[in-house]
Amino acid sequence: MKKKIRVLVCKPGLDGHDRGAKVIAAALRDAGMEVVYTGLRQTPEMIARAAVQEDVDVIGLSIHSGAHMTLFPRVLDLLKQAGATQILLTGGGIIPEDDMAALRKIGVGELFGPGTPMDKIVEYIRAEVPKRRTVGA
Amino acid sequence: MSDTVDELVAGLFRSDARATARLITLVEDEAPEVARIQSAIRDRVGRAYRVGFTGPPGAGKSTLVAALAKHWVNDGESGRVARVSIVAVDPTSPFTGGALLGDRVRMTSLDPSVFIRSMANRGRLGGIAATTDGVCDVLDAYGSDWLLVETVGVGQSEVEIAECADVTVVVLTPGTGDSVQLLKAGLMEVAEIVVVNKADRPGADSLVAEIQSIVGMRPHSDVPMPIVSTVATENKGIDELAKTIEEYRTQQVSRGLLETRRKRNLRAKIQRLVEARLRREIWGGKGASEELDATVECILRKEETPWDASERIVKKWIR
Amino acid sequence: MTDSKRGDDAKQAWRRRYDTEVAKVERETGSGASEERQPLYDREDLVANSDEESDIGYPGEYPFTRGPYSSMYRGKLWTMRQFSGFGTAADTNKRYKFLLERGQTGLSVAFDLPTLMGYDSDDPLAEGEVGYCGVAISSLADMELLFDDIPLERVSTSMTINSPAAILLAFYLAVAEKQGVPMSKLRGTLQNDILKEYIAQKEYLFPPAPSMRLVVDTMSFCQKSVPKWHAVSISGYQIREKGSTAVQELAFTLADGFAYVEAAIHAGMKVDDFAPQLSFFFDAHNDFFEEIAKFRAARRIWARHMRERFGAKDPKSWLLRFHTQTAGVSLMAQQPENNIVRVAYQALAGVLGGTQSLHTNAMDETLALPTAKSAKIALRTQQILAYETGVAEVIDPLGGSYFVEAITKKMEDGAEAYFKKIDELGGVIPAIEKGFFQREIEKASYDFQREMDAKKRIIVGVNGFVEDKPEPIEILKIDESVEQEQRKRLRHLREHRDRAAVKRSLDAVRQAARDGSNVMPSLLDAARAYATLGEIVKVFKQEFGEYLEPATF
């Protein structure tokens, strides 16, 4: 049986702008993935904990508050502490090109700006996840 | 980084969340490692008390489960903090095979020690996934004291939970009209405790009365069925519900009923595994799909009846 | 041959020519609207969709389809009200004084997210967001700085705040008191629209019932003590920004409005005592004529329901007056200068729809807070509209248009169908609890995204006319020292205020929350004692509980 791709879609920050997160969650579901949605106002600790417990392949963060340069590194660090470095950390929002490059350098995956077609995100996840699957007996 | 089953099981026994989660995935995916996992953990399975929650959509099951989890985490037996784990099942889309698992939304304020796992039912009817029971075994071995299982809740007859829980709690709400219908349609068969949630709404008293009258009509109504009213969003009635479940458990243990119950569940589990295995053997084999297509053509050409065709296929496998 | 016969023949002839011509070409409009639109509207559509007297009428006359006032912009131009706020109270105070010196008379306060969510600037959850998208106000001390040297009897102040609105109003009233300005002279608007928070914006704190009670408490307090203050601004803007359609924005906003009216009546207020104090806030989006129709339909529906359903006798109670903001969600990060053009068309729709005040977005608002230059262009856009285009000279210039009257009616019918549905669900709050609005909006926004992906809708620069190399524009960065400074100020405040007085005042707030009496007097006392926003919200959370959204998909 082909293993399902599991994705955690999160919306950190104090704002209630969950439109992007919900649209992408629905698109990933329609692409056959199992999407765990955790709701608004998630702290990095809550995100990392949920990702570990749910054993997801991918975390997608939707960030509108401008705090991407603190949130992505923080989540990455917590995943490292938990030994869950195989998880692909990706996301979207309004993120300047320089910041995207800096985040990629520390191990964050592709980041998607507004207006990205949903198919592109689906394809990226489908291509990236098999490279990271590691469980073997 | 690659984990062996032995490493993961060792991690599980240390109550490592990551190892536990990875083992759950293997069980959920029905990976070849499952047999080894089962034998490695079997000495540690059976300690957790498994509470199943079922009921129509919008009954507030997630909120209720979260409130109970909070209660038990804070109110651990013998001064020790109890370990509570939650398994929440949501439906898989029959069209895309994908699923949106949203139960964590209502559980965000829980203590970090609570292990929550969301599952898609992956096409299984009956309210849980085919592997929910196996996932519960892993969380049992993880050291859970309380294992709370929430069913899909799409409003069908989600009664299979009774076969993998030690007690089944049916959650209903006043004012929706479908509650009583669901009870009559089968939920009553599995209910051991009934919760009337959102009991601050109009119609709560009459719902309780209706439930009482239906309870009275059960064939084995010698055991009184507890009915607890709650308002889970405001934490009302949660202490009483927790106490009711604890008393139910004490009764089960002292009268030897828990053991009977678990034997019955195990029996059902073996049957499920055999059926699933057979289904895979028959339909999952090479050429099975083409053969099925050919049979359909035969039937359409009136060369065979569906009954004859099924006989022929079954006979090929059973002699 | 009769006139109408001749008309029918001409119409059929046109239809034949049209069908032949379009059969030759295959063209997508890209606006996504073509399926619902006829290619041409004529007299027949006008007659079928509106009665000239009872549906269209005259400006300043029931049902106000053509405008709430008889003279409209001939009498007074719309108010150009640009929303602003950033950094510390002192930073924003400087900006306000700058604007007031240049003739602006209305202030519009944008608060930062921690304030909107009821957290003090030194709360761990506020980290990284203090002063970022608005001004940080944690106590009366910050509010005093915000309006330092600004005489409150001479300005009108609009405050965009919802869940903790009653507390921020108390801070404002306490500043006025210190300035010696009587409450009866204060003018302004509190957004205070909690229902659309559950539906769309999701900046909620408490469950719906106690939240509605806070709204009614402020309405009743303002009616008696601050009569020139608009206690609620019923907002569709955030509903639309969440991805709703125009009809959903219209229907859900007005349904919220009716819910406030019902709640106030239920609390014993008389409809004509408070209805004139209600105001509205809508979005102006891209589909030009549909937006104009939405504004016209809104006035007509409100007037009809207020008079017929709620029995309001005072014509002022029938009037729907509204503020418009151009659609933030339509601003694109790609080729941001194009946003200037989008904003101009949207602003034109607002004006042709008869708005009372207008905020035009700056082109870079999707990227960051506007720079001084982009903010100026946004304001200039309104001035060009007002002084160069001539659109302000004629009242409701599209009134009687075959097309616009037909879609105005369509908007009204669509809204009425939603009202029926909401009633069937038991009203606005039960519908929120069932996730009805949330699901409707999520579906609309998902459909929109799919249409974009399939290129049934074209957004210039995003999925059509794309440029490979983005030209970066200059954006405003917020200094990180704001957070440190706010924390220092708060620590100082907590050390130097009268602790016993703070505790007493918070106990009184708790008592009022419990016994159901109006919370405003105790909030005013708490403000005077320098209790912080976070401390007061904590009391409310303990008494009222916290709200978690239903999981909807």
Side-chain angles (χ1 to χ4, degrees):
Chain A
M1 183 184 181
K2 197 173 158 237
K3 189 182 177 296
K4 291 264 182 210
I5 295 178
R6 286 171 67 89
V7 187
L8 179 70
V9 173
C10 291
K11 175 49 208 73
L14 285 181
D15 63 286
H17 297 136
D18 58 358
R19 172 180 173 160
K22 290 214 158 170
V23 166
I24 193 64
L28 297 178
R29 172 203 56 195
D30 288 354
M33 300 180 196
E34 290 182 355
V35 183
V36 181
Y37 179 69
T38 51
L40 293 165
R41 305 189 179 95
Q42 302 288 294
T43 63
E45 286 74 15
M46 292 158 98
I47 292 167
R49 194 160 55 235
V52 167
Q53 291 179 351
E54 299 287 355
D55 190 26
V56 294
D57 302 292
V58 183
I59 302 175
L61 299 188
S62 170
I63 302 186
H64 293 262
S65 61
H68 48 269
M69 289 312 279
T70 48
L71 287 170
F72 278 107
R74 182 93 187 100
V75 172
L76 212 54
D77 194 43
L78 289 164
L79 290 177
K80 212 170 284 170
Q81 284 174 33
T85 47
Q86 83 289 350
I87 298 175
L88 167 64
L89 179 61
T90 173
I94 307 224
I95 302 169
E97 195 53 47
D98 299 355
D99 291 353
M100 282 194 190
L103 289 171
R104 265 197 295 268
K105 208 167 276 170
I106 60 164
V108 175
E110 198 77 33
L111 298 175
F112 300 93
T116 308
M118 294 181 287
D119 286 351
K120 193 174 158 192
I121 301 170
V122 169
E123 275 163 34
Y124 170 71
I125 290 176
R126 279 196 182 133
E128 199 62 22
V129 165
K131 299 180 201 162
R132 294 173 173 251
R133 288 258 168 95
T134 54
V135 157
Chain B
M1 162 202 63
S2 185
D3 304 298
T4 66
V5 168
D6 292 343
E7 283 166 358
L8 290 177
V9 169
L12 172 75
F13 291 168
R14 289 194 311 271
S15 297
D16 173 63
R18 191 191 67 92
T20 307
R22 306 231 78 186
L23 284 169
I24 290 175
T25 303
L26 290 172
V27 169
E28 206 186 356
D29 288 342
E30 300 180 307
E33 293 88 349
V34 172
R36 274 175 56 207
I37 297 171
Q38 280 189 345
S39 75
I41 68 173
R42 65 181 159 205
D43 289 345
R44 304 220 182 193
V45 174
R47 290 194 300 204
Y49 190 67
R50 302 183 185 194
V51 190
F53 294 83
T54 187
K61 293 189 290 295
S62 297
T63 311
L64 191 74
V65 165
L68 268 175
K70 203 174 276 179
H71 174 93
W72 276 318
V73 167
N74 295 334
D75 188 37
E77 295 159 22
S78 66
R80 168 181 90 85
V81 173
R83 178 168 285 164
V84 183
S85 300
I86 297 171
V87 176
V89 189
D90 278 312
T92 293
S93 156
F95 306 107
T96 65
L100 267 169
L101 314 174
D103 293 308
R104 291 188 88 100
V105 172
R106 319 225 32 105
M107 301 178 178
T108 51
S109 64
L110 284 182
D111 188 86
S113 72
V114 178
F115 195 111
I116 309 170
R117 181 67 175 227
S118 316
M119 294 184 80
N121 70 350
R122 298 192 180 175
R124 176 105 182 172
L125 301 174
I128 54 174
T131 58
T132 297
D133 193 39
V135 168
C136 287
D137 287 349
V138 176
L139 282 171
D140 193 340
Y142 170 70
S144 307
D145 299 300
W146 296 98
L147 196 39
L148 314 182
V149 185
E150 182 192 335
T151 67
V152 167
V154 291
Q156 289 157 359
S157 191
E158 285 143 353
V159 297
E160 228 172 55
I161 180 68
E163 291 177 357
C164 68
D166 295 325
V167 60
T168 307
V169 179
V170 171
V171 187
L172 303 171
T173 46
T176 54
D178 52 359
S179 281
V180 170
Q181 286 312 315
L182 278 168
L183 268 188
K184 288 179 180 162
L187 277 190
M188 192 44 83
E189 299 296 314
V190 300
E192 285 150 290
I193 295 171
V194 177
V195 173
V196 174
N197 192 28
K198 307 188 186 181
D200 52 346
R201 296 203 173 163
D205 292 344
S206 64
L207 178 59
V208 171
E210 275 183 279
I211 295 167
Q212 274 162 344
S213 80
I214 297 170
V215 169
M217 291 187 291
R218 286 188 314 167
H220 39 273
S221 60
D222 50 321
V223 204
M225 167 134 42
I227 302 171
V228 185
S229 295
T230 59
V231 185
T233 49
E234 294 170 23
N235 232 18
K236 285 185 189 147
I238 299 303
D239 290 357
E240 198 199 333
L241 176 58
K243 219 165 88 200
T244 306
I245 295 171
E246 285 161 15
E247 271 165 19
Y248 192 89
R249 176 195 196 171
T250 310
Q251 283 291 316
Q252 276 180 315
V253 172
S254 67
R255 294 166 62 188
L257 294 171
L258 187 59
E259 207 188 322
T260 326
R261 170 63 171 269
R262 287 183 173 180
K263 276 183 186 161
R264 194 192 81 194
N265 286 357
L266 197 53
R267 223 181 114 96
K269 181 179 187 165
I270 298 164
Q271 284 177 322
R272 276 203 309 274
L273 285 171
V274 168
E275 283 159 19
R277 177 68 196 276
L278 281 178
R279 201 175 304 124
R280 270 204 305 277
E281 287 288 331
I282 297 172
W283 305 123
K286 227 176 160 186
S289 172
E290 290 78 2
E291 197 188 327
L292 201 54
D293 284 340
T295 306
V296 169
E297 293 303 324
C298 275
I299 293 169
L300 289 177
R301 286 198 303 270
K302 321 265 160 134
E303 293 167 11
E304 202 178 17
T305 65
W307 175 263
D308 294 336
S310 64
E311 279 289 301
R312 176 173 56 77
I313 293 168
V314 169
K315 280 208 177 108
K316 214 167 84 185
W317 290 89
I318 302 163
R319 50 205 96 220
Chain C
M1 191 186 265
T2 62
D3 279 359
S4 74
K5 178 77 172 68
R6 202 159 39 233
D8 285 351
D9 289 348
K11 188 174 182 178
Q12 279 169 18
W14 162 77
R15 186 79 216 190
R16 279 192 300 275
R17 293 195 305 276
Y18 171 84
D19 288 339
T20 329
E21 282 170 28
V22 293
K24 290 180 209 151
V25 286
E26 200 168 307
R27 182 181 149 271
E28 290 283 356
T29 59
S31 74
S34 54
E35 282 164 34
E36 309 162 4
R37 300 272 160 86
Q38 300 166 207
L40 186 79
Y41 290 79
D42 64 9
R43 199 174 169 74
E44 213 176 297
D45 298 295
L46 186 70
V47 174
N49 285 299
S50 46
D51 177 80
E52 210 160 336
E53 223 164 277
S54 62
D55 292 331
I56 304 176
Y58 281 85
E61 178 191 283
Y62 184 90
F64 306 100
T65 310
R66 306 202 67 184
Y69 303 118
S70 305
S71 60
M72 289 302 288
Y73 306 139
R74 283 260 178 158
K76 180 180 173 287
L77 272 179
W78 66 89
T79 306
M80 301 176 196
R81 194 192 287 275
Q82 302 292 88
F83 177 61
S84 64
F86 60 91
T88 62
D91 295 333
T92 307
N93 175 263
K94 263 185 236 152
R95 172 68 66 94
Y96 287 168
K97 283 182 186 155
F98 171 89
L99 291 169
L100 292 171
E101 279 157 22
R102 276 151 194 78
Q104 181 162 325
T105 53
L107 296 176
S108 177
V109 190
F111 295 97
D112 71 355
L113 268 166
T115 307
L116 293 171
M117 291 303 295
Y119 294 109
D120 290 338
S121 298
D122 57 358
D123 192 292
L125 281 169
E127 201 184 322
E129 305 202 41
V130 175
Y132 193 81
C133 60
V135 60
I137 301 291
S138 299
S139 75
L140 172 60
D142 292 334
M143 201 65 126
E144 286 167 3
L145 260 185
L146 184 66
F147 293 103
D148 185 40
D149 261 347
I150 297 175
L152 294 188
E153 77 273 27
R154 277 196 260 149
V155 294
S156 96
T157 306
S158 156
M159 294 199 277
T160 301
I161 188 133
N162 296 285
S163 288
I167 303 167
L168 273 293
L169 175 63
F171 289 171
Y172 189 84
L173 298 176
V175 172
E177 191 176 72
K178 292 211 155 188
Q179 287 190 0
V181 180
M183 286 195 223
S184 59
K185 286 197 171 164
L186 295 175
R187 284 175 303 124
T189 306
L190 198 63
Q191 191 164 77
N192 203 19
D193 170 12
I194 195 63
L195 291 173
K196 63 93 174 56
E197 296 297 332
Y198 301 113
I199 291 175
Q201 185 159 254
K202 312 204 173 168
E203 287 164 9
Y204 38 65
L205 294 173
F206 323 117
S211 292
M212 282 299 273
R213 177 227 165 153
L214 289 177
V215 174
V216 172
D217 279 1
T218 50
M219 282 170 75
S220 137
F221 183 84
C222 287
Q223 186 224 323
K224 293 194 190 86
S225 309
V226 206
K228 291 183 186 162
W229 193 274
H230 296 288
V232 190
S233 167
I234 305 149
S235 307
Y237 182 81
Q238 294 83 355
I239 292 172
R240 191 65 180 281
E241 290 288 295
K242 204 65 164 195
S244 83
T245 63
V247 176
Q248 287 169 350
E249 179 195 359
L250 176 68
F252 299 170
T253 310
L254 294 186
D256 288 351
F258 302 145
Y260 292 123
V261 171
E262 277 165 5
I265 290 173
H266 187 74
M269 296 169 75
K270 289 204 187 75
V271 65
D272 284 321
D273 284 346
F274 65 85
Q277 286 191 350
L278 297 172
S279 64
F280 287 79
F281 173 27
F282 288 110
D283 195 280
H285 216 286
N286 283 337
D287 190 338
F288 188 71
F289 292 104
E290 183 175 69
E291 292 302 284
I292 297 167
K294 177 185 78 185
F295 300 130
R296 300 175 85 249
R299 279 191 294 267
R300 188 153 84 203
I301 298 168
W302 185 254
R304 284 181 174 160
H305 281 256
M306 290 308 284
R307 193 173 84 172
E308 308 304 331
R309 181 164 146 205
F310 296 109
K313 302 269 187 306
D314 182 351
K316 283 204 207 92
S317 303
W318 308 336
L319 284 190
L320 177 141
R321 283 153 304 185
F322 65 97
H323 172 70
T324 303
Q325 180 168 343
T326 59
V329 76
S330 76
L331 301 177
M332 293 296 144
Q334 294 88 344
Q335 305 173 35
E337 284 95 339
N338 295 347
N339 292 328
I340 297 174
V341 184
R342 293 191 179 100
V343 167
Y345 288 130
Q346 293 162 1
L348 178 59
V351 168
L352 293 178
T355 192
Q356 276 57 66
S357 61
L358 180 62
H359 168 103
T360 34
N361 289 323
M363 64 166 173
D364 51 359
E365 272 178 62
T366 183
L367 303 167
L369 283 170
T371 60
K373 185 178 174 186
S374 69
K376 195 166 73 182
I377 294 174
L379 180 62
R380 295 284 182 257
T381 305
Q382 293 202 40
Q383 290 163 340
I384 291 168
L385 208 49
Y387 296 101
E388 296 185 16
T389 63
V391 294
E393 305 309 316
V394 176
I395 301 166
D396 187 33
L398 292 170
S401 146
Y402 301 141
F403 172 41
V404 171
E405 294 299 351
I407 53 171
T408 300
K409 179 70 169 34
K410 201 172 155 198
M411 284 275 144
E412 186 179 7
D413 291 347
E416 291 290 347
Y418 265 123
F419 299 154
K420 222 174 130 211
K421 192 81 188 268
I422 294 164
D423 278 348
E424 283 165 12
L425 291 170
V428 170
I429 290 177
I432 287 170
E433 285 168 344
K434 290 183 178 112
F436 170 73
F437 301 105
Q438 300 92 313
R439 218 173 284 119
E440 287 285 301
I441 296 170
E442 277 155 24
K443 190 180 171 304
S445 79
Y446 189 42
D447 289 348
F448 185 94
Q449 181 67 40
R450 294 182 76 110
E451 285 171 20
M452 259 185 79
D453 285 0
K455 302 214 175 176
K456 277 189 189 159
R457 274 178 194 272
I458 298 296
I459 307 289
V460 173
V462 178
N463 64 348
F465 315 100
V466 179
E467 281 169 17
D468 289 339
K469 249 185 96 189
E471 287 173 47
I473 59 163
E474 195 194 327
I475 59 173
L476 185 79
K477 294 223 160 132
I478 290 291
D479 195 348
E480 281 161 21
S481 68
V482 167
E483 196 159 317
Q484 265 94 50
E485 203 181 309
Q486 265 299 105
R487 284 190 188 183
K488 219 162 63 197
R489 285 170 39 75
L490 262 171
R491 198 178 322 127
H492 184 265
L493 177 85
R494 290 189 208 277
E495 279 163 10
H496 290 86
R497 60 187 181 171
D498 178 349
R499 279 183 213 170
V502 172
K503 190 180 175 299
R504 263 199 315 276
S505 73
L506 289 175
D507 288 345
V509 170
R510 187 184 303 280
Q511 189 53 39
R514 268 187 204 166
D515 68 22
S517 59
N518 195 313
V519 293
M520 283 308 296
S522 64
L523 287 179
L524 256 169
D525 281 340
R528 291 179 189 123
Y530 293 94
T532 67
L533 170 67
E535 289 161 350
I536 301 171
V537 165
K538 197 171 149 201
V539 169
F540 280 159
K541 280 184 180 171
Q542 285 162 352
E543 295 303 315
F544 297 151
E546 289 182 65
Y547 182 75
L548 273 177
E549 66 172 341
T552 59
F553 285 109

